[in-house]
Amino acid sequence: MRDNYNPSIGQSSPENADYRLPKNVKPTHYDLHLEPDLENGSFGGSVVIHFDVLQDTKFILLNSDEIKILTTVLVQSSGKSTKIESVHYHELQQTIMIPLPESIPAGSKIRIRQTFKGRLNSSKKMSGFNRSRYIGRDGKPKWFGSTQGQPTGIRQIFPCADEPGLKATFSSALIVDQGLTALSNMDIASEEKISSDKKKVVFNKTPLMSTYLVAFVVGELNYIESNDYRVPVRIYATPDRDIKQGAFCVDVGARAMISHEKTFGSPYPLPKLDMVAVPGHAGAMENWGCVIYGEQYLVSDESDASAKDNLSKAYVVTHELAHQWFGNIVTPSWWDSIWLNESFADWATYNAATHIWPEWEPWSEFVAGHPNGALNAYQSALALDSNRGSHPIEVPVNTPSQISQIFDSITYAKGCTILRMISELLGVEVFIEGVRLHLKRHAFGNATTNDLWDSLGTVSGQDVQKIISIWTQKVGYPVLSITEDEKSKTIEILQHRFLQSGKVPPEADRVLYPVYLKTKTQQGIDQKSQLSSREDTFPVDLEFYKLNAGQTGLYRVSYPLSRWKNLGQQLYSSGLLSPNDRVGLISDLRAVATAGQTEIHTSHLFAFLSHFKNEGNYFVWRQILVCLQDICGAWLFEDSSTLAALKRFQADLMSKVLGDLGQDLWSFKPGESYKEQSFKAVLFGNAAGYEIVKLTASYLFDQFMDGDTKAVNPNIRKAVFRIVLSDPKLSDNDDNYNKLLHVFRTTSSLGTRSDVIKALGHATCPTLVQKTLDFANSTEVRTTTDRNAIFSALSGHQNGIDALWKYLTGNWDEIVGERGGIMGGRFVGFCVQGFTREGQLREVEAFLKRQKGNGVEKFEKFLEQSLDAVRAKVGWVERDRKEVRDWLRANGYYEDDS
């Protein structure tokens, strides 16, 4: 604790502390001046905060973290200035208390003027004012400055009322070196030379906005501009990046803004839109008018990237620009409603993509998972919300740590799934009209979830809150268990909460969800039937039926075994089951088998998958491969003969689709669609058990290393690197590994660097695993995203999992001090979630118990989720181990039976 701690601020225990600011004053405007010293890693500044006094008050409480306050002056409306001799810090709550010399009556207007200084953080921290390295115009290393305010980073830059509901206007100025470009939310009002080497850049006043959206960027920058939108859309990048490679994303940006503005029915209110490629930045941040991205999202060569990566870039850009309305014009009142930002940006992304790039089939992209990478939206929502460590979409949060941990698949993917569900129910056009009304009602202000339901209800004439609020307020979703009655031609549907790790205790199974069944039969889709009780009976054509047509509902379906067998025979009958339907069946059957609460076992899943040998759809194959990946991940620590049998089963399942493609599998022709390219890429990347693919990967790798970098198409470059490195014969001094490291250090291609990063962790030799870990934690790996990509790959094989666990336990104090928030939580998850055995689980639980009170709370939610995922795998393997062996042996996949 620094200076004089005042106990009136709150308790020192995080469990008892109130982290919210009092409502005695309200900020209305900030005059902010900052002077970053990029070379020395520090900054100084001043701020004048204008307040309306709402209650008689003797103090003002502001958020401040890691800032040293130098001076504080109170200025009253009369003009009287009073110096405040000291302020009281509360480090736990990240606040300062400013005592006032006298009680200020309600209705007054006052100003607080403060000077301060702080430090520039490493870009890996991703919070506050950060600095990172780039190569300047003179060919020498330079420092780049950028800010990250969300969720609680702005308080590390200047003292403020750092809550999303406390909107104000901002007038800002930066003092920077003459040769640098300075950017902020608004356009430049004036630029003045103040010394031989310094200039002052003054920005125009912002509209009302939340503090976390305040942004500053300082560095040598070039830009490319699109004038296709009614205000300039620019991409900025440092001189060591080819700004022409931003052409794809600046076009995406302009098209996305046009689409969003048309959809939301309200104009983008700022005079410019800048998108900045920031060295060392992970992900992207939607700062109003000054959106920042990792370089790979804006200025990586479109022709040097896979179709999947180009789609990902387009989606990331479109998502961040949707925030210019949802999040920036209308902002959640508090972080418990942050889903209104993130899930709406996701929904708007898929909606915009449907109109701009319909050939991408965006909602099918949403529904299907993706192997060798994060699950896509719908599948990630189903996965995380079946975890005992899940949380409601609307979840109470108080501390900065709690806030950081809710930026997960529930906030993004489940929220988007719910929005898709309600848009289908109301009709998309009606839904959009409700969204427009919501934005109009709350423009430049704040809103809650109920405010959205009210707007949708006004437009639709339905009680939307009654229909949908339970889905956002309660954790989890149901599994619908089906019992068929041949005589009455009916099905009885029983709903219970679904948990991946097995049995649901009664206290966790009290919620009854209103489920729109969307039953598909040969006659069409029943859009009206709803299950609103624990169980009910419905008439249905038992010749063929499937619930959740198109996979628009957030629930699982558990059919009787006989129905699963029938559905396996009907997969391709007269177009009854769309690709999304087939994706849903695979996903549901895998989940039901894993949970182990029915007669369904993994052998039935194998038998069902065997019907897909003739499958020709890209999205369906993605889900098949996700399913196989899940099985292999759960069985990872089993005997080698069983693992080999699983690989043979996968190779057999893929044999026809690979045989049909032949050499076209790794040959890409001009004009091939996104789906064609991506289909071949996902098959190639998961066909290492197919000998010709291994030989081809080795041949292409050698050509690449001999200097013919065009020999490996970007769609399969990562897979080629991975297949070569994952060869178990790789030795600890293997030349291939060292060659890839050399490529990483010398190439100018962001796409190639990214592919190397994602491949290195697949080397399984213990010495190379340690080398990879050391590399991941070196200064060569600049972003948290890249580090986590390495850790993710390491978590996919035995030696990597063991090494990650050893690293975590041996460096706990350092990890707790360095990592926080969602990126740090993901890292800790990678160190835990690969385990599959009971003994491993007990070891993890014992270690975490010993660390209670020593930083565990920073990752509490992530650890809880990772441990439940491990428990699910432990139970699954224990239950089905023998049966899996028996099925694989009976079907000829064990080598000793051939």
Side-chain angles (χ1 to χ4, degrees):
M1 218 61 69
R2 298 177 300 179
D3 292 359
N4 301 308
Y5 166 57
N6 188 326
S8 68
I9 299 174
Q11 303 299 316
S12 58
S13 164
E15 290 80 17
N16 298 326
D18 182 3
Y19 287 73
R20 299 294 298 274
L21 298 177
K23 302 184 185 303
N24 55 337
V25 296
K26 180 182 179 182
T28 59
H29 181 72
Y30 294 78
D31 288 302
L32 178 62
H33 290 68
L34 292 173
E35 184 172 1
D37 184 344
L38 296 176
E39 279 301 314
N40 293 310
S42 62
F43 65 90
S46 66
V47 65
V48 178
I49 310 177
H50 301 241
F51 291 98
D52 287 343
V53 180
L54 305 181
Q55 303 169 5
D56 295 353
T57 187
K58 294 183 178 181
F59 71 94
I60 292 175
L61 200 64
L62 295 174
N63 292 112
S64 179
D65 184 28
E66 301 180 1
I67 301 172
K68 183 174 179 59
I69 305 298
L70 304 177
T71 64
T72 303
V73 176
L74 165 68
V75 182
Q76 299 188 53
S77 55
S78 64
K80 177 183 176 182
S81 296
T82 306
K83 183 177 181 181
I84 308 298
E85 294 299 331
S86 66
V87 298
H88 305 295
Y89 292 83
H90 194 303
E91 292 187 354
L92 177 69
Q93 293 176 212
Q94 300 179 358
T95 56
I96 55 171
M97 194 274 280
I98 304 169
L100 303 178
E102 59 189 63
S103 179
I104 305 295
S108 302
K109 293 183 181 295
I110 62 172
R111 287 170 285 161
I112 292 291
R113 183 170 66 241
Q114 292 187 303
T115 60
F116 51 86
K117 64 180 181 180
R119 71 167 187 257
L120 300 177
N121 297 320
S122 161
S123 61
K124 290 181 179 179
K125 185 172 181 179
M126 283 284 293
S127 185
F129 212 144
N130 307 307
R131 68 172 182 166
S132 54
R133 282 289 197 184
Y134 68 101
I135 303 301
R137 293 191 176 98
D138 59 3
K140 297 178 181 178
K142 300 288 178 67
W143 287 108
F144 188 92
S146 63
T147 58
Q148 173 67 33
Q150 191 184 56
T152 57
I154 284 296
R155 64 189 65 175
Q156 297 172 22
I157 304 174
F158 60 95
C160 56
D162 192 17
E163 296 187 1
L166 298 175
K167 288 192 170 186
T169 54
F170 294 81
S171 296
S172 302
L174 285 175
I175 296 175
V176 300
D177 289 352
Q178 287 280 0
L180 301 183
T181 298
L183 301 173
S184 187
N185 304 89
M186 294 295 289
D187 52 340
I188 294 174
S190 66
E191 193 168 308
E192 173 190 1
K193 182 177 180 179
I194 59 174
S195 70
S196 61
D197 61 345
K198 295 287 184 181
K199 64 181 178 180
K200 181 179 181 180
V201 182
V202 179
F203 300 96
N204 280 312
K205 182 179 177 181
T206 71
L208 283 169
M209 58 185 266
S210 299
T211 50
Y212 75 86
L213 294 169
V214 173
F216 300 104
V217 171
V218 182
E220 293 180 3
L221 290 168
N222 299 321
Y223 72 84
I224 187 172
E225 180 174 301
S226 170
N227 292 304
D228 292 342
Y229 182 51
R230 59 178 183 78
V231 303
V233 177
R234 289 180 175 179
I235 284 179
Y236 285 86
T238 52
D240 52 350
R241 298 299 170 205
D242 182 356
I243 193 63
K244 293 178 183 177
Q245 293 182 0
F248 172 71
C249 285
V250 79
D251 177 65
V252 168
R255 297 173 77 180
M257 290 297 286
I258 293 168
S259 177
H260 290 328
E261 193 165 85
K262 181 179 179 181
T263 296
F264 294 138
S266 58
Y268 171 70
L270 303 190
K272 56 93 176 179
L273 176 68
D274 297 334
M275 299 189 288
V276 188
V278 175
H281 190 80
M285 176 60 206
E286 67 264 20
N287 310 305
W288 213 357
C290 187
V291 188
I292 64 174
Y293 302 80
E295 292 174 308
Q296 71 274 20
Y297 294 115
L298 291 186
V299 287
S300 59
D301 187 355
E302 179 189 4
S303 65
D304 189 41
S306 69
K308 176 178 176 289
D309 286 342
N310 283 328
L311 178 142
S312 176
K313 287 188 287 188
Y315 277 18
V316 169
V317 168
T318 307
H319 173 102
E320 299 306 325
L321 299 188
H323 279 307
Q324 306 305 300
W325 285 263
F326 262 94
N328 299 5
I329 292 179
V330 179
T331 312
S333 297
W334 179 242
W335 296 107
D336 56 1
S337 294
I338 189 60
W339 82 282
L340 291 175
N341 278 15
E342 302 302 345
S343 62
F344 251 104
D346 271 358
W347 182 89
T349 296
Y350 288 101
N351 178 72
T354 298
H355 296 98
I356 302 172
W357 306 286
E359 69 276 11
W360 291 357
E361 299 183 42
W363 285 114
S364 292
E365 185 76 36
F366 175 84
V367 167
H370 202 294
N372 307 119
L375 294 173
N376 278 28
Y378 181 68
Q379 298 299 326
S380 61
L382 289 167
L384 183 51
D385 212 27
S386 65
N387 188 293
R388 294 177 197 268
S390 185
H391 60 83
I393 291 176
E394 297 179 83
V395 58
V397 288
N398 188 28
T399 71
S401 174
Q402 290 170 347
I403 294 167
S404 294
Q405 292 187 68
I406 61 169
F407 285 80
D408 60 9
S409 292
I410 299 302
T411 297
Y412 288 76
K414 182 180 179 181
C416 184
T417 301
I418 298 306
L419 293 176
R420 180 176 179 238
M421 191 162 69
I422 192 66
S423 70
E424 292 280 334
L425 177 63
L426 301 179
V428 174
E429 290 305 316
V430 173
F431 176 77
I432 289 174
E433 282 301 315
V435 169
R436 290 173 178 169
L437 178 61
H438 177 74
L439 288 168
K440 183 177 180 181
R441 282 177 171 177
H442 304 285
F444 304 102
N446 298 89
T448 65
T449 300
N450 284 340
D451 292 328
L452 174 63
W453 301 155
D454 288 344
S455 295
L456 292 174
T458 298
V459 168
S460 68
Q462 298 189 48
D463 189 346
V464 174
Q465 184 171 348
K466 182 179 179 181
I467 295 170
I468 208 72
S469 62
I470 195 169
W471 293 95
T472 62
Q473 293 173 0
K474 302 296 183 181
V475 65
Y477 62 84
V479 56
L480 306 188
S481 298
I482 311 297
T483 303
E484 299 178 357
D485 188 330
E486 288 279 354
K487 290 183 179 179
S488 61
K489 305 296 182 187
T490 60
I491 55 173
E492 182 183 78
I493 304 178
L494 173 68
Q495 68 162 296
H496 287 288
R497 182 181 172 189
F498 180 75
L499 288 176
Q500 195 70 65
S501 55
K503 191 165 179 147
V504 185
E507 63 273 14
D509 192 28
R510 292 172 179 158
V511 179
L512 297 178
Y513 294 90
V515 181
Y516 287 85
L517 301 177
K518 288 195 72 173
T519 305
K520 175 181 281 191
T521 64
Q522 295 180 92
Q523 289 72 45
I525 299 174
D526 177 1
Q527 302 280 5
K528 296 181 179 179
S529 295
Q530 177 187 3
L531 177 68
S532 54
S533 56
R534 177 68 71 186
E535 58 184 309
D536 205 347
T537 301
F538 300 86
V540 72
D541 177 4
L542 294 178
E543 284 295 313
F544 165 80
Y545 72 92
K546 179 198 174 288
L547 275 61
N548 201 9
Q551 301 306 116
T552 59
L554 187 71
Y555 57 93
R556 299 284 193 192
V557 183
S558 177
Y559 299 99
L561 180 56
S562 58
R563 179 55 50 185
W564 283 115
K565 292 179 179 178
N566 287 347
L567 287 167
Q569 298 292 335
Q570 296 170 325
L571 288 174
Y572 308 104
S573 299
S574 304
L576 292 174
L577 292 165
S578 70
N580 283 357
D581 289 325
R582 300 200 294 278
V583 166
L585 288 172
I586 296 165
S587 177
D588 282 353
L589 182 53
R590 200 280 299 162
V592 170
T594 304
Q597 299 302 297
T598 70
E599 62 180 334
I600 305 298
H601 293 280
T602 311
S603 61
H604 302 121
L605 177 58
F606 287 148
F608 189 72
L609 290 175
S610 297
H611 292 290
F612 287 87
K613 290 182 179 180
N614 293 315
E615 180 60 59
N617 182 271
Y618 164 57
F619 298 109
V620 179
W621 264 109
R622 273 181 21 188
Q623 196 63 40
I624 293 169
L625 294 169
V626 166
C627 180
L628 294 169
Q629 184 176 276
D630 288 345
I631 297 169
C632 291
W635 262 255
L636 184 60
F637 285 88
E638 296 303 298
D639 60 275
S640 59
S641 59
T642 298
L643 295 178
L646 286 170
K647 290 179 180 178
R648 290 188 199 95
F649 171 66
Q650 177 167 333
D652 182 38
L653 197 60
M654 299 178 72
S655 60
K656 185 178 187 305
V657 69
L658 295 177
D660 288 347
L661 283 167
Q663 294 187 16
D664 285 344
L665 179 65
W666 53 84
S667 302
F668 294 81
K669 301 176 181 63
E672 285 184 326
S673 69
Y674 153 74
K675 278 179 61 181
E676 289 172 320
Q677 294 178 67
S678 298
F679 192 12
K680 292 196 290 187
V682 77
L683 291 174
F684 185 94
N686 288 274
Y690 204 60
E691 192 62 29
I692 187 63
V693 170
K694 290 177 68 175
L695 293 172
T696 300
S698 180
Y699 172 75
L700 293 174
F701 183 89
D702 289 342
Q703 283 192 303
F704 184 95
M705 292 303 165
D706 286 341
D708 184 6
T709 57
K710 299 295 184 183
V712 183
N713 187 277
N715 283 291
I716 59 171
R717 184 171 53 211
K718 178 175 64 177
V720 166
F721 295 165
R722 175 169 50 82
I723 290 169
V724 170
L725 283 193
S726 60
D727 187 336
K729 298 174 184 175
L730 214 62
S731 63
D732 59 2
N733 62 351
D734 188 85
D735 199 34
N736 289 336
Y737 185 95
N738 296 325
K739 285 178 179 178
L740 271 181
L741 272 183
H742 178 72
V743 167
F744 174 84
R745 289 164 177 155
T746 57
T747 184
S748 61
S749 164
L750 287 174
T752 300
R753 284 172 62 93
S754 176
D755 289 341
V756 172
I757 281 280
K758 293 170 182 174
L760 289 175
H762 291 278
T764 59
C765 168
T767 307
L768 292 181
V769 167
Q770 186 57 51
K771 189 173 182 178
T772 302
L773 260 179
D774 294 341
F775 173 72
N777 288 298
S778 73
T779 56
E780 289 190 85
V781 180
R782 296 196 297 172
T783 74
T784 308
T785 301
D786 284 345
R787 294 169 83 188
N788 281 351
I790 295 173
F791 299 141
S792 176
L794 287 169
S795 71
H797 56 84
Q798 293 183 15
N799 289 338
I801 292 167
D802 290 339
L804 283 171
W805 177 242
K806 183 178 179 181
Y807 176 78
L808 180 70
T809 55
N811 299 274
W812 179 262
D813 291 340
E814 176 190 344
I815 290 165
V816 166
E818 177 188 345
R819 294 180 171 95
I822 189 167
M823 302 306 282
R826 285 174 179 161
F827 164 71
V828 173
F830 291 138
C831 295
V832 172
Q833 66 193 25
F835 290 129
T836 68
R837 293 287 184 89
E838 181 69 36
Q840 295 167 331
L841 176 61
R842 287 198 299 267
E843 181 182 348
V844 174
E845 290 172 332
F847 173 79
L848 294 176
K849 185 176 181 181
R850 292 195 301 272
Q851 299 304 321
K852 203 71 176 172
N854 186 27
V856 170
E857 66 282 350
K858 287 183 69 173
F859 314 115
E860 188 171 10
K861 183 57 65 175
F862 296 105
L863 285 167
E864 186 181 357
Q865 292 164 358
S866 296
L867 286 172
D868 193 62
V870 173
R871 292 187 190 100
K873 288 188 287 185
V874 169
W876 184 13
V877 175
E878 286 295 323
R879 191 168 51 249
D880 282 3
R881 177 182 286 115
K882 182 180 182 302
E883 186 190 0
V884 163
R885 288 174 180 165
D886 290 346
W887 191 92
L888 291 170
R889 179 166 282 111
N891 286 273
Y893 295 111
Y894 269 87
E895 196 169 47
D896 57 355
D897 293 338
S898 60

